[in-house]
Structures are given as C-alpha cells and as structure tokens.
Amino acid sequence: MSRLSLAWALPLVSFALAMAMAVVFLVVSLVAVEIRSFSDSEREAERLASVVARDMHEGYLASVSDIVSAYAPAEVTVLTANNARAASSTGLITQPVVHTVPIMFEGEQIGRVETSRLVTSGLSIPGWGILLLVVTAGGLAAISGHFFAARVVRSVQQISTVADALRSGDAKAEDLTMDADFTELREMYVSMRRAVGSVRREADELRAEAFTNPISGLPNFSAFMRKLSGRLEQADFDRPAALFCLDLDHFDRACESFGSAVGDVLLLKAISRIQSELDALKVEDVVDTRDYILAQPWSDSLYLIIPNIGGRAQASETARRLRSAFVPHVEACGYEIQLGLSGGIVMIPEDGQATNDLVRRGETALRNVRKDAKKGFRFYAPRMDRIAKGRAQLEADIREAIETGEFHPHFQPKLDLRTGRIKGCEALARWKRPDGRFVAPSAFISVAEETGLIDDIGQIIMREACEAAVGWLKEGHAMSVAVNVSPVQMRNPGFRDLVLDALATSGLPPRFLELEITESLAIEDPQAFKDAVDPLRAMGVRLALDDFGTGHSNLAILSRLNFDVFKIDRQFIQNLERDDSARPIIEMILAMAESLGLETVAEGVETAAHARFLRLRGCTYGQGYLYSPALPSDKFLSYVQDWEARRRQSLVAKAG
Ligand code: C2E
Ligand code: CA
Ligand code: CA
C-alpha cells in the first residue's frame, strides 16, 4: 500500500465500521420485532394469559410488575391498566394491537395480554435518532481518522526522507527536521539519526583507512583511480594532463641493507622531496603543477597526475627535476642512501582516456625503462604495447609448446683440436612449430626466463640430453653432453634434484654430464652457486663456464669456483680476423685456463684458420659450423659414426 492511500484507508475503515454498527443495530431491532410478532395469534395470547393467571394463582407472581418482568418483552407485551401507556411508547414498534385477552385472577381482571401484528415498515423516532447518531459518529470518526492518518503519513514520510538523505550521505540530511508531534515517531527519528551518525562516522574512518596508505597517508590505488577519473574530464589536446608511474631506484637494495624501518623513513623522505619539487616548479612558474595528485598504489611505487601540465616538454622537465631532487643522496636515520627516481609518462588524452588503460600504459613505459636503460623516464609509445602483447602471446605459445612436446635438444659436436676426435657435444634447445619452422633460442629463452618457463624447458632438455648420451654410450661412443643452465634455473631450489633425477632415470654416469653456466650467477652469489653445484660436482658432474670473457669477470671469484672448462665466447673467435684485441683476449683466457689446469672450448669455429690458430695456442676443443651445426639425436649419431670412419681412413692413408 502506498503512503498516500494510507491516509484514506484509516477513515474508510472507521466509516465502514460505523456503517456496520448501524446495520447491526437495525437487524437487532428487526429481530426484536420478529420475536414480538411470535405472539401474533389469539390462541397464543390466551395461552399466555392463562399461564400468567396460573402463575399468579400458584403464588409465583406477586404483583403485576413481576408479571411484566417475567414475560415481557420477549414473547408478549403484558400490560396492566397502569403501565399500558408507558409500555406502548417505549417500543420501537407500534400498533396496531390485534388481540387483547384479559388476565383473570380469582374472578378479577388484573391485566391484559396484547398481541400485535407488527412487521415493521420503519423505525420509531428514537430508533431513527439512534441510527442517525451512529452514522454521524461514524462519519466524524472517518473524517478525524483521515486527518489523523494524514499526520501519521506525513511524519512517516518525513522520517523516510531524512533516512534516505542520511543513507545517501546527503549533507542536507543534517538540516531536515521533524515537525510532526507524535512522541513515538519523534523518538524513533532521533534514535535513527543517532544510529546513522555513528555508522557514518565508522564508515568514514574505515573509508579513510581503506583509501590511504597507512604510512604515508597518500591515496592508495583504488582512491587514486577514483580521483584520476575525476581529473581527466577537463583534459583535452590543448590542455593535456600527464600521468607519471614512478618507482624508486635501489629501494629494495636499501631495505635489504638497512632494514624495513629505515625503508619506511626513506620512502617518506622521497615522497616529501617529490612534493617539494612539484611545489618549486609551480612557484618558479616552470610547470603548472597545480592540483596535482600524488598517490602510493603499493610499496615503493607512486603515481602522479598533473592535470594542466601543458605538454610533453613540461612533462619532460618535470621528470628531469624530480630525478634531480634525489641527487646526491637521501638521508634517513643517519644514513646517506643513494636513491633515484624512474618513471613511465603517459600523456592524456593523447595516449588514452580510460583510467585503466592509462595506468597500464604508464606501467608499460616504466617496465621499458627497467628493461633497457634500468633508470630514467620514458614516455609511453604504442609500440611498447605491441611488444608487450607480443611477449604475452609468446609466453602463451611457449606454455602450449611445452604441453604438446615441441621442445627437444639438438646436439652440436665438440672436437678435440689435437686428435680430431669428437669428445662430446652441447645440447641446444630447439623449438619446432607444427608447421616445421624452428624458433630461434634468442627469440624465446629470455621470455622463458622471465616467466619461469625455462624451468620446464630446461627439464626437458636435461632429461632428453641424458637419455641421448646413454644411447650413444650403448653404441660404443663415450661422449659427454653439455647442457645449458640458466641462472633462473640455478636459483630454483629444486634444480639439484632435477639433475639427479635425469641422471638416475637415464642411467647416465655423472662424469658424462657437463653443466654450462654463465658467469653472472656465479659472480653475483658465489655461495648459492656453490651450494647448488658442489653436491653434483662431488658425484662427478663437470662444470663449464659459458661465454667466458663477455661479462665483468671477477677472476678472483672465478678461480675459486672450481670450473672444469672455460668456454671462449664465439664473438672472440669470429672477431679474430677483424679485431686486433680478440687475439690477445683468447690468448689470455687460454693462458689462464692452462695455469688453473682447466680445459677450454672455443665456440663459433667456422674456418680452418680459426681451428689452426686455436690448436696452436693449446685450446682443447673446438665447436662450430666448421664441423657441424646442432643436429637431432639420431642424425648426430650418424654424423659421429661417419666422422670417426673418415678419420680412421685418413689415419690409415697417412700411415700408408
Ligand atoms: P650458447 O650457449 O652460447 O650456444 C651456442 C650458440 O652458438 C648456439 O646458438 C649455437 O647454435 C651457436 N653456434 C654454434 N656454432 C656456431 C658457429 O660456428 N657460428 C655461429 N655464428 N654460431 C654458432 P643457439 O642454439 O641459437 O643458442 C643461443 C643461446 O641460447 C645459447 O648460447 C644459450 O645461451 C641459449 N640456449 C640454447 N639452448 C638452451 C637451453 O637448453 N637452456 C638454456 N638455458 N639456454 C639455452
Ligand atoms: Ca652454451
Ligand atoms: Ca656460449
């Protein structure tokens, strides 16, 4: 029922009740008439008269008034000479009297019984009066009920208006008052306001907590996204806005070295430097940084939106000034800490308008900074998105290819440069697509490393390489197989078990397995490296330092790490003819290996001249296209068999 119809329902109900009362009254009167009309026969009147006379005779009825109260008015009107007039005037129903029978007692008439045929055709005047009274009272009740109900409805409406306003947080709710004077409703209203007030206070506190970073008090991610959408409406190509996705350089390193408490202080200092620099830019009238919002979406990343920045030039200048605010260092808890600021910049609306896209693009630009230059600022460019999309697609493809078994090792032979015998090979991952094309390792290894998928690929290569080597052993060719291990794999605690499992499953004696490791991991964390490889080395697994000479080799550390082999990177071999510095580097590596008692493998041997040079300088093995590219396991075996056959023939020929 709607509120308005309530105002009518109440009076309608009371009016209906009054009408019902009037009808009942009328019906009762008619029933009385009916009852009285039962005595509508002379015989009945006579019977009653004789019953009255008998009762009086037997002493039951002492006087006429007893007679009247004993019989009247249900069945009969018993009238004495004295009260006849009075009796006829009180009834609702009158005349005509049909029969009159005297009541005789001991020969004397003491009264009479009158019967009347009285089916009423209307009410007597008092009857009408009462009916009118009832109807009027009903009408009055209905009218006053209407006004009463209207007041109730108005009060309830007021309460619900105030409740709506309070619920929706409308500030005007505080000014809305009750003017109805029902005490109960008033009390209800007051307690409702009190309850809503306290709930709202709690909600405000919760919201403040939920939308700000507890340490810095800056808006968090969700608060920033809400504010961002509010600030973007005015941005257009004439008055662009800029979003900066900022990240502190070396922050993690500082937290590791000085502890997270110092990290918190450092972060606050960094935030206040950014804020002061933004204020300075405005005061110096260099960039309009008015109404900027700085937010802390998570840990050490910060988002900054400057609504009226003006253009790219101003955004660049802002980035330059923000970076310079961190030079030379930031002081926290008595430490002088090197910190820096890097970021991705998104111009609005040029680079997009939807808040989610903008933040994602800013993050993409920041990731680009981290990936290439490591620090600094970079504007977002659509090309970055395409690259990111391409990487995401490549990741999905790699995942699927692992499932469908598209990764297998190919094997490239390593030759003993003095004897010309094939001493072993290097297992190189090959990804063969269903259409028969091969994908180069340079195209997928880095993505596989970033996504951790290198663990799965590495496991496949390790298993199949060990199995292949066992197969060759069975054919009478004792050759070692070298497997490349990425630093990502090496850091995985399960790596050692993976190697042990591959050896155990295949049955390959550990001395036929060699692990090729780049120097980065060995030098960055020598202890982790030793922990991972020492148990394997103890079993007889050999260790090769891959790409030697390309990194910032720390010779002191490298000499302590017990490598068995140094692999000279192919760039040095290929530069032999072109670059004068290649020759001394190779000679130095060979000399160093010799002094440490290690074997050496030269990669990328493409010409006989390369081979001769290396052999004369004492390099142990050569690997390269001069001999063979990497081959599938079965082709590799036939290659080895052919090679050995030709070598024997040439030895026989030489001897002959
Ligand atoms: P790498 O370990 O330095 O492998 C040697 C690379 O040199 C191989 O490239 C090989 O095909 C190529 N190569 C061999 N002989 C010659 C030559 O005479 N001339 C020239 N120009 N190149 C030659 P590939 O197979 O493209 O592999 C590239 C890199 O991918 C490898 O460099 C290695 O770092 C990585 N990689 C390959 N397979 C795996 C693997 O199973 N696991 C891991 N973690 N990395 C792998
Ligand atoms: Ca290698
Ligand atoms: Ca290499």
Side-chain angles (χ1 to χ4, degrees):
M1 192 188 288
S2 78
R3 285 182 204 146
L4 272 178
S5 58
L6 187 70
W8 288 107
L10 200 63
L12 277 177
V13 167
S14 45
F15 186 75
L17 275 175
M19 286 302 111
M21 274 167 65
V23 168
V24 167
F25 185 83
L26 204 62
V27 168
V28 168
S29 312
L30 289 174
V31 168
V33 171
E34 287 296 319
I35 290 168
R36 292 179 70 166
S37 68
F38 285 154
S39 51
D40 180 23
S41 80
E42 194 175 12
R43 201 169 46 82
E44 185 61 11
E46 277 170 359
R47 189 185 66 77
L48 283 171
S50 75
V51 167
V52 171
R54 191 195 62 216
D55 285 357
M56 291 186 81
H57 174 70
E58 289 173 4
Y60 294 133
L61 297 168
S63 66
V64 172
S65 58
D66 286 342
I67 300 169
V68 175
S69 60
Y71 295 98
E75 293 172 331
V76 69
T77 310
V78 181
L79 298 171
T80 61
N82 296 336
N83 68 3
R85 271 177 71 84
S88 68
S89 67
T90 57
L92 291 169
I93 305 135
T94 51
Q95 307 307 336
V97 171
V98 186
H99 301 288
T100 305
V101 178
I103 302 170
M104 304 299 293
F105 185 66
E106 293 179 346
E108 189 186 342
Q109 181 178 345
I110 57 156
R112 64 175 192 273
V113 170
E114 283 182 349
T115 61
S116 11
R117 178 179 312 214
L118 293 176
V119 177
T120 185
S121 59
L123 295 173
S124 64
I125 290 174
W128 277 115
I130 290 169
L131 190 59
L132 195 68
L133 210 65
V134 169
V135 171
T136 312
L140 284 174
I143 290 164
S144 73
H146 167 70
F147 287 114
F148 177 79
R151 273 168 62 203
V152 172
V153 167
R154 199 176 64 237
S155 303
V156 171
Q157 273 173 338
Q158 280 180 345
I159 286 190
S160 81
T161 311
V162 174
D164 284 348
L166 288 175
R167 193 172 43 231
S168 62
D170 185 349
K172 275 186 290 183
E174 309 295 337
D175 308 331
L176 297 172
T177 47
M178 284 275 298
D179 56 10
D181 51 2
F182 297 100
T183 317
E184 289 81 359
L185 289 180
R186 232 172 214 302
E187 282 168 1
M188 187 174 139
Y189 163 74
V190 169
S191 62
M192 181 185 75
R193 256 182 96 139
R194 211 176 290 137
V196 170
S198 74
V199 166
R200 177 151 352 125
R201 264 192 308 282
E202 272 175 36
D204 285 348
E205 282 163 18
L206 277 175
R207 195 177 305 139
E209 268 174 37
F211 289 115
T212 53
N213 184 288
I215 296 171
S216 65
L218 290 179
N220 66 11
F221 184 76
S222 44
F224 179 77
M225 293 304 270
R226 280 159 44 141
K227 285 174 190 275
L228 181 62
S229 53
R231 293 298 155 98
L232 295 184
E233 280 148 19
Q234 314 103 304
D236 59 33
F237 283 92
D238 296 330
R239 278 182 309 165
L243 165 69
F244 297 75
C245 291
L246 305 170
D247 194 29
L248 295 170
D249 306 334
H250 317 306
F251 182 72
D252 292 345
R253 199 177 63 189
C255 287
E256 269 170 33
S257 315
F258 301 102
S260 60
V262 176
D264 287 347
V265 176
L266 197 57
L267 192 59
L268 292 178
K269 296 255 175 162
I271 289 168
S272 94
R273 286 213 175 177
I274 294 171
Q275 289 167 329
S276 327
E277 201 59 37
L278 291 169
D279 291 341
L281 282 165
K282 183 173 60 190
V283 172
E284 293 163 25
D285 213 10
V286 179
V287 180
D288 180 3
T289 59
R290 252 178 315 151
D291 303 330
Y292 76 82
I293 304 168
L294 185 63
Q296 188 184 357
W298 37 77
S299 69
D300 63 324
S301 47
L302 300 166
Y303 287 171
L304 168 69
I305 173 109
I306 304 180
N308 276 312
I309 196 152
R312 278 177 176 262
Q314 288 85 343
S316 285
E317 181 58 13
T318 307
R320 195 188 63 74
R321 288 281 297 262
L322 289 178
R323 251 189 96 67
S324 67
F326 286 78
V327 178
H329 53 251
V330 178
E331 220 179 85
C333 307
Y335 301 106
E336 288 179 352
I337 300 169
Q338 298 284 334
L339 211 62
L341 191 67
S342 293
I345 312 172
V346 182
M347 297 304 293
I348 307 157
E350 192 185 320
D351 294 329
Q353 268 170 312
T355 49
N356 286 334
D357 288 347
L358 292 171
V359 167
R360 193 172 46 73
R361 287 170 185 164
E363 290 286 351
T364 304
L366 176 61
R367 259 199 308 281
N368 247 265
V369 171
R370 290 284 180 236
K371 194 161 67 65
D372 303 342
K374 307 288 184 237
K375 39 181 102 151
F377 277 77
R378 208 168 264 192
F379 282 96
Y380 164 81
R383 166 181 53 82
M384 296 176 179
D385 247 357
R386 283 198 298 276
I387 293 169
K389 258 189 215 145
R391 287 179 93 77
Q393 182 59 50
L394 183 58
E395 180 189 343
D397 290 348
I398 295 174
R399 241 175 244 288
E400 199 187 322
I402 291 170
E403 293 292 314
T404 52
E406 291 175 20
F407 288 102
H408 298 287
H410 281 196
F411 303 93
Q412 186 176 35
K414 278 189 299 196
L415 267 88
D416 185 321
L417 288 170
R418 276 182 300 116
T419 63
R421 292 192 66 147
I422 297 174
K423 295 294 288 184
C425 60
E426 176 178 4
L428 292 160
R430 292 292 176 262
W431 177 8
K432 190 176 181 185
R433 304 308 322 259
D435 61 9
R437 278 183 309 116
F438 279 98
V439 183
S442 57
F444 66 82
I445 294 284
S446 64
V447 173
E449 283 180 330
E450 279 164 29
T451 53
L453 292 170
I454 193 72
D455 282 331
D456 302 295
I457 298 174
Q459 183 174 23
I460 296 168
I461 305 300
M462 183 71 70
R463 287 225 169 109
E464 295 191 10
C466 290
E467 277 161 20
V470 169
W472 307 325
L473 264 180
K474 285 182 184 155
E475 294 289 327
H477 298 282
M479 292 181 296
S480 67
V481 64
V483 177
N484 291 284
V485 179
S486 128
V488 179
Q489 285 172 275
M490 194 73 123
R491 283 195 198 98
N492 187 337
F495 172 71
R496 203 183 62 190
D497 289 343
L498 180 146
V499 178
L500 293 177
D501 187 58
L503 288 171
T505 313
S506 62
L508 182 71
R511 69 175 188 283
F512 289 106
L513 178 64
E514 199 167 281
L515 302 180
E516 291 195 6
I517 293 154
T518 50
E519 59 194 87
S520 60
L521 178 80
I523 288 180
E524 267 168 32
D525 195 347
Q527 195 52 49
F529 174 79
K530 276 177 82 68
D531 291 348
V533 298
D534 276 358
L536 298 170
R537 292 206 59 211
M539 295 171 65
V541 173
R542 284 156 53 90
L543 224 58
L545 180 62
D546 205 357
D547 303 343
F548 188 30
T550 54
H552 311 280
S553 313
N554 183 326
L555 299 180
I557 295 179
L558 288 180
S559 60
R560 265 188 277 129
L561 287 174
N562 296 329
F563 282 98
D564 301 287
V565 185
F566 280 168
K567 288 195 84 171
I568 307 168
D569 193 71
R570 62 179 182 275
Q571 79 181 51
F572 299 115
I573 314 300
Q574 267 144 36
N575 284 346
L576 264 177
E577 293 97 1
R578 280 168 264 155
D579 184 350
D580 290 343
S581 67
R583 186 181 288 248
I585 291 174
I586 296 171
E587 287 170 343
M588 193 194 69
I589 296 172
L590 291 173
M592 194 179 147
E594 196 186 346
S595 72
L596 290 169
L598 308 186
E599 294 184 330
T600 40
V601 178
E603 295 177 338
V605 180
E606 291 184 354
T607 64
H610 292 159
R612 194 176 325 109
F613 171 84
L614 291 161
R615 190 176 60 242
L616 291 175
R617 304 275 175 317
C619 180
T620 331
Y621 303 109
Q623 174 186 344
Y625 298 157
L626 174 64
Y627 311 112
S628 166
L631 301 168
S633 171
D634 50 344
K635 290 219 175 87
F636 177 74
L637 181 61
S638 20
Y639 173 85
V640 172
Q641 286 163 340
D642 283 0
W643 181 269
E644 287 301 319
R646 269 190 279 142
R647 202 180 64 87
R648 270 196 299 275
Q649 274 173 7
S650 76
L651 283 178
V652 169
K654 266 189 201 159

